[in-house]
């Protein structure tokens, strides 16, 4: 890894004409940062964009929200509904930038996500300026991968790229269609006929007297309340407590205590891997012949993982006990260790060895 000022340059996320974006780490605090080398222009600090932490001679250092990952990690594996939410959030931020006169072309490597939150990298920089609509279409097509045909916003994005609709079409509800002229005429004629029929019904003579007809059953049933007197009409004789009854009560209490002890025993000695079946994660290496040791430095509350313990030897698969953000240390023989923030659940993690 290269060192630029007080920041490690861990890996390059994107290389453009005059701009190289790195995933970095602050050597003083250990916090992740994003380093933009060769940045020209002034980034805009708006809602959903990364804040500037430091300015170097030829680079900008932006914050990296804890637990956030580049959107490109979900290429081909994101759920269509989840991906649709991210695309809508990106469109809202692009519309806000356009209102300020800022052109920005989003790229999957330069969009960070965490759960339902989305951050854009460097709006306002010259190297990232471009047309938003076609770039958003290509971003969604890349992330959807083989499931592009079932992506719910596919048609709207295509119309957006052709200039037929604006960005607000991705999140605004479609306008209600006006009723057909024939349907409107029928409704108007019915409204005109209704008062005449009512008047005719009111003007009709009363029916001739006949046998009394039964009243219709009311829609709401009647409620009849029957109250008992407080004192019964007979003397109350209290039964004497018997030894058999006391023995039965004691037996029931003993059984309840026994069941509680058994439940506590099962809770204490239950294997810790039972809840981890819901959060499997796959670790890969590139090339696959390489080996890497993955250690746990920090784990979410309730994970039960000791800091510094060996998680697995990659490539391999591991089951995490609870969801959240884990700080891992990846050690490849013969190379410097690398710390990484992993969000669980998430896509498979590939460790590239160069």
């Amino acid at each position: 890894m290269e060192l630029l000022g007080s920041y490690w340059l861990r890996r390059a996320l994107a290389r453009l004409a005059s701009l190289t974006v790195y995933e970095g780490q602050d050597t003083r605090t250990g916090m992740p940062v994003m380093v933009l080398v060769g940045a020209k222009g002034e980034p805009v600090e708006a809602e959903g964009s990364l804040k500037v932490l430091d300015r170097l001679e030829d680079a900008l250092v932006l914050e990296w929200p804890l637990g956030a990952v580049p959107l490109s990690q979900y290429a081909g594996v994101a759920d269509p509904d989840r991906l649709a939410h991210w695309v809508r959030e990106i469109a809202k931020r692009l519309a806000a930038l356009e209102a300020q006169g800022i052109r920005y072309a989003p790229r999957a490597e330069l969009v960070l996500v965490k759960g339902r939150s989305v951050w854009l990298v460097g709006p306002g920089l010259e190297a990232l300026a471009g047309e938003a609509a076609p770039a958003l279409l290509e971003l969604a097509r890349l992330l959807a991968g083989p499931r592009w045909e079932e992506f719910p916003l596919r048609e709207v994005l295509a119309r957006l790229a052709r200039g037929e609709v604006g960005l607000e079409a991705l999140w605004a509800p479609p306008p209600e269609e006006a009723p057909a002229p024939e349907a409107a005429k029928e409704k108007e004629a019915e409204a005109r006929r209704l008062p005449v029929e009512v008047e005719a019904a009111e003007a009709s003579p009363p029916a001739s007297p006949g046998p009394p007809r039964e009243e219709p059953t009311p829609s709401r049933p009647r409620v009849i309340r029957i109250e008992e007197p407080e004192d019964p009409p007979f003397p109350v004789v209290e039964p004497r407590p018997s030894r058999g009854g006391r023995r039965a009560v004691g037996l029931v209490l003993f059984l309840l205590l026994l069941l509680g002890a058994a439940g506590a025993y099962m809770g204490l000695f239950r294997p810790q891997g039972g809840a981890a079946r819901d959060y499997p994660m796959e670790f890969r290496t590139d090339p696959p012949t390489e080996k890497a040791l993955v250690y746990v430095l920090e784990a979410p509350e309730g994970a039960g993982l000791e800091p510094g313990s060996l998680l697995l030897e990659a490539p391999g698969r591991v089951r995490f006990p609870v969801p959240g953000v884990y700080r891992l240390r990846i050690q490849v023989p013969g190379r410097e260790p690398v710390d990484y923030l992993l969000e669980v659940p998430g896509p498979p993690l590939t460790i590239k060895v160069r």
Side-chain angles (χ1 to χ4, degrees), residues 6 14 33 71 74 96 114 143 188 238 242 271 337:
S6 302
V33 294
L71 192 54
Y74 290 92
K114 177 185 177 182
L143 295 176
E188 184 178 357
E238 296 289 342
S242 59

Side-chain angles (χ1 to χ4, degrees), residues 222-228:
R222 299 177 180 176
V223 179
I224 302 176
R225 186 184 303 275
I226 301 177
E227 298 181 355
E228 292 182 331

Side-chain angles (χ1 to χ4, degrees), residues 60-135:
L60 290 176
V61 181
L62 307 182
E63 71 166 346
W64 187 303
L66 190 64
V69 296
L71 192 54
S72 57
Q73 290 194 12
Y74 290 92
V77 298
D79 180 78
D81 294 333
R82 191 178 188 186
L83 176 57
H85 168 76
W86 288 334
V87 170
R88 290 191 183 98
E89 291 299 314
I90 296 174
K92 291 179 182 179
R93 283 152 178 74
L94 293 176
L97 292 174
E98 285 186 356
Q100 303 177 37
I102 299 173
R103 299 168 60 250
Y104 181 80
R107 295 167 174 82
E109 301 85 359
L110 301 183
V111 177
L112 299 184
V113 295
K114 177 185 177 182
R116 301 178 67 84
S117 302
V118 176
W119 294 270
L120 303 181
V121 177
L125 299 181
E126 297 178 5
L128 302 179
E131 296 297 329

Side-chain angles (χ1 to χ4, degrees), residues 40-227:
K40 296 181 181 180
E42 184 65 24
V44 178
E45 292 191 3
E47 182 182 1
S49 62
L50 301 182
K51 298 180 181 179
V52 178
L53 298 180
D54 196 1
R55 298 177 185 269
L56 305 180
E57 183 178 355
D58 190 33
L60 290 176
V61 181
L62 307 182
E63 71 166 346
W64 187 303
L66 190 64
V69 296
L71 192 54
S72 57
Q73 290 194 12
Y74 290 92
V77 298
D79 180 78
D81 294 333
R82 191 178 188 186
L83 176 57
H85 168 76
W86 288 334
V87 170
R88 290 191 183 98
E89 291 299 314
I90 296 174
K92 291 179 182 179
R93 283 152 178 74
L94 293 176
L97 292 174
E98 285 186 356
Q100 303 177 37
I102 299 173
R103 299 168 60 250
Y104 181 80
R107 295 167 174 82
E109 301 85 359
L110 301 183
V111 177
L112 299 184
V113 295
K114 177 185 177 182
R116 301 178 67 84
S117 302
V118 176
W119 294 270
L120 303 181
V121 177
L125 299 181
E126 297 178 5
L128 302 179
E131 296 297 329
L136 187 59
L137 173 63
E138 291 302 320
L139 180 146
R141 191 191 300 272
L142 169 68
L143 295 176
R147 307 180 70 178
W148 172 247
E149 295 300 326
E150 58 183 284
F151 184 54
L153 300 179
R154 179 171 57 92
E155 296 295 337
V156 182
L157 286 171
R159 295 179 61 194
L160 175 66
R162 294 194 297 265
E164 299 176 1
V165 296
L167 288 168
E168 64 276 1
L170 289 170
W171 71 83
E176 297 183 358
E177 297 182 358
E182 296 181 359
K185 291 180 180 179
E186 292 180 0
K187 186 176 294 186
E188 184 178 357
E190 182 179 355
R192 290 177 180 176
R193 288 195 303 266
L194 184 59
V196 177
E197 294 175 359
V198 172
E199 291 176 2
E202 292 178 353
S204 59
S208 59
R213 57 181 180 179
E214 297 181 358
E215 296 183 358
T217 305
S219 59
R220 185 175 180 181
R222 299 177 180 176
V223 179
I224 302 176
R225 186 184 303 275
I226 301 177
E227 298 181 355

